[in-house]
């Protein structure tokens, strides 16, 4: 991927860094916002995590070894930032991560940036019952339409394991929705 390597060099070169970083923002800002929003559910929290993600990308780009695609590396940072944020927020609030997630789902109805309906809220409630890994896999596959290979690079899990996780998630969500 010579184009990607060239882009990374532009990001690292002080003379071309600002322009390259603006390009990086224009490419990744919207999809990363959506990715993080699917995890944290709250618009303001998403903006904070997104900002932290870009700061980390900027700070650690010099350590990027190119063993994965830049896309996967940035998404891994965003995913880790979102999960860390949620864990810290739950800890500060003195509640479990699950309780925080349920509270966030309940707050979606009042969120002016959420354009879903009752069905989507029920779907979010169903997703919240899943283990963290299944939640991530389901959200990345269902909402973001990422390929298993991309999810594999982001989460560091085999494609086979991801397919199994997604399958189990879908079955659990179907059971939740039909019993709701």
């Amino acid at each position: 991927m010579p184009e990607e390597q060239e882009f990374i060099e532009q990001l690292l070169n002080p003379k071309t860094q600002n322009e390259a970083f603006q390009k990086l923002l224009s490419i990744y800002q919207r999809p990363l916002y959506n990715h993080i929003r699917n995890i944290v559910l709250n618009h303001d929290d998403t903006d904070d995590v997104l900002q932290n993600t870009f700061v980390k990308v900027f700070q650690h780009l010099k350590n990027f070894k190119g063993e994965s695609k830049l896309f996967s590396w940035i998404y891994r940072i965003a995913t880790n930032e979102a999960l860390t944020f949620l864990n810290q927020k739950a800890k500060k609030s003195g509640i479990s991560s699950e309780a925080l997630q349920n509270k966030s789902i309940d707050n979606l109805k009042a969120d002016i940036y959420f354009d879903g309906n009752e069905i989507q809220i029920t779907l979010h409630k169903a997703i919240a019952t899943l283990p963290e890994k299944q939640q991530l896999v389901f959200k990345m596959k269902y909402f973001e339409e990422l390929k298993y290979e991309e999810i594999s690079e982001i989460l560091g899990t085999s494609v086979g394991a991801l397919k199994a996780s997604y399958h189990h998630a879908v079955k659990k969500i179907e059971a939740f929705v039909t019993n709701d």
Side-chain angles (χ1 to χ4, degrees):
M1 292 180 279
E3 295 164 8
E4 184 166 280
Q5 188 55 44
E6 187 179 312
F7 183 51
I8 293 166
E9 287 169 13
Q10 291 171 356
L11 285 164
L12 293 171
N13 182 337
K15 293 178 182 166
T16 57
Q17 196 169 55
N18 287 343
E19 189 177 322
F21 207 74
Q22 287 304 316
K23 182 178 176 184
L24 182 88
L25 286 171
S26 73
I27 294 169
Y28 289 105
Q29 194 160 13
R30 168 90 46 226
L32 278 178
Y33 173 88
N34 293 331
H35 175 67
I36 295 166
R37 177 72 192 253
N38 282 328
I39 298 170
V40 302
L41 300 176
N42 174 287
H43 170 73
D44 293 333
D45 292 346
T46 299
D47 279 346
D48 291 344
V49 174
L50 182 62
Q51 187 174 359
N52 292 343
T53 298
F54 281 118
V55 167
K56 284 233 167 119
V57 166
F58 189 74
Q59 289 174 334
H60 297 284
L61 191 63
K62 61 188 173 293
N63 302 327
F64 177 66
K65 295 175 180 61
E67 293 167 356
S68 65
K69 293 180 184 142
L70 185 62
F71 160 89
S72 304
W73 182 74
I74 292 172
Y75 265 67
R76 188 175 312 127
I77 291 171
T79 303
N80 291 337
E81 284 296 304
L83 295 175
T84 299
F85 177 86
L86 286 176
N87 290 333
Q88 289 173 346
K89 187 173 181 178
K91 198 173 189 177
K92 283 179 194 168
S93 302
I95 58 176
S96 69
S97 296
E98 293 79 17
L100 176 68
Q101 192 170 30
N102 288 326
K103 186 176 170 188
S104 296
I105 292 167
D106 291 340
N107 291 338
L108 281 176
K109 291 177 190 168
D111 187 338
I112 61 169
Y113 297 101
F114 179 72
D115 58 2
N117 55 23
E118 285 299 320
I119 294 168
Q120 286 204 297
I121 289 176
T122 301
L123 176 59
H124 280 291
K125 287 179 180 178
I127 294 168
T129 66
L130 302 173
E132 184 178 89
K133 186 88 161 206
Q134 286 180 9
Q135 285 187 37
L136 288 171
V137 172
F138 183 83
K139 290 174 179 182
M140 293 166 98
K141 187 78 182 130
Y142 182 82
F143 292 119
E144 300 172 55
E145 300 176 350
L146 296 178
K147 294 178 176 78
Y148 283 114
E149 291 75 17
E150 293 170 324
I151 300 170
S152 172
E153 277 196 20
I154 294 165
L155 298 180
T157 306
S158 73
V159 169
L162 292 173
K163 287 180 178 179
S165 287
Y166 186 75
H167 175 75
H168 291 302
V170 168
K171 292 294 177 204
K172 290 175 185 176
I173 290 169
E174 287 172 351
F176 181 94
V177 171
T178 56
N179 292 330
D180 190 43

